Amino acid sequence: MSDTADLRLWQIVEDAAAHVTDQTGRFRRSDLEVELRERLAGEDLDVHVRSAAVGKLAGSLVRGFGDRRSPKPRRRAGMFHPQGILKLGGGVWVWMERATPTDLLEWGRLPTKNLAKVAVAEADRQEYVAERLNGFRLHTSLTHLGELERAVYGYTGPDPAEDADSGDEEQEP
C-alpha cells in the first residue's frame, strides 16, 4: 500500500470522525463506522486508495477470524476445537488439530509476555491520569484537558484545528 493511499484513507477517517463528533467532543464508534462505510462506498476513490482500503479490510477480517477461532477459557465443551487456532506470535498461527507440544508451549507463554507489556503501559496511563487530575485540582479555572496540557504541562504540538494524528495506533480496551 502506498503512503499516499494510506494518508488519503486516514484523512477520510479523520473527516468522518469530525462529522460524527458532538459539541462535547464525544462520538460513538458505531456512528463513526456507519459514517466511514457511507463515505468509502460513496467516494470516487483512486484505484490505489481503494486497494489500500481493501487491504485494511482484509487485515481486519483476518484478525476477526483469528479472534473467533481462538480457544475460549471456561468453555463448557473445553478449550480444544479441531477448527480452533493457536496464535503463536510473529504472525504464525496453527490449527489446534495440528498443534505440536512446542506450539502449545509457545502459545502458553505468549500471554505472559503480553501481560508484562500491558502492565507497563497501564502503569504509564495511570501515572498520566493521576498527574493530570492533580493538575485540574490545582488549576480549577481549566476545564478541558487540552487547556491543561497547554497551560500547565507545556504542550506545544499542533493546534486542535490542524491535523492532530499522533501516528500511534492503540487498541480499544
Side-chain angles (χ1 to χ4, degrees):
M1 144 177 20
S2 73
D3 288 341
T4 56
D6 208 33
L7 289 173
R8 178 65 186 122
L9 284 174
W10 285 120
Q11 186 59 53
I12 293 169
V13 175
E14 290 276 345
D15 293 346
H19 182 78
V20 298
T21 299
D22 68 17
Q23 306 85 332
T24 68
R26 289 170 174 71
F27 61 93
R28 293 189 179 282
R29 177 182 173 171
S30 59
D31 293 342
L32 177 56
E33 288 177 5
V34 167
E35 182 67 22
L36 184 58
R37 198 174 307 124
E38 289 174 4
R39 287 175 185 241
L40 289 175
E43 287 276 335
D44 186 24
L45 300 175
D46 291 336
V47 173
H48 71 288
V49 176
R50 186 167 304 281
S51 175
V54 168
K56 288 186 180 298
L57 172 61
S60 177
L61 288 170
V62 167
R63 275 188 305 281
F65 173 73
D67 291 347
R68 290 174 56 98
R69 296 291 182 105
S70 289
K72 308 293 184 273
R74 298 186 185 97
R75 221 174 79 191
R76 284 205 309 222
M79 290 183 70
F80 177 77
H81 189 287
Q83 304 304 302
I85 295 173
L86 302 182
K87 297 177 183 179
L88 306 180
V92 177
W93 297 357
V94 62
W95 295 103
M96 288 186 85
E97 180 77 21
R98 302 294 310 271
T100 66
T102 304
D103 294 334
L104 194 59
L105 183 62
E106 182 60 30
W107 178 70
R109 288 180 177 162
L110 195 59
T112 304
K113 293 177 189 176
N114 292 340
L115 186 58
K117 291 177 186 176
V118 169
V120 169
E122 185 58 23
D124 291 345
R125 179 193 310 234
Q126 294 306 320
E127 180 182 352
Y128 173 81
V129 168
E131 286 177 359
R132 282 3 183 226
L133 288 174
N134 190 48
F136 276 123
R137 278 190 286 278
L138 296 173
H139 303 277
T140 56
S141 65
L142 303 175
T143 58
H144 293 97
L145 184 57
E147 297 171 322
L148 182 73
E149 286 288 351
R150 286 177 182 80
V152 177
Y153 295 101
Y155 179 79
T156 59
D159 186 272
E162 296 177 18
D163 178 18
D165 184 17
S166 67
D168 294 335
E169 293 185 23
E170 183 176 314
Q171 295 288 327
E172 184 173 296

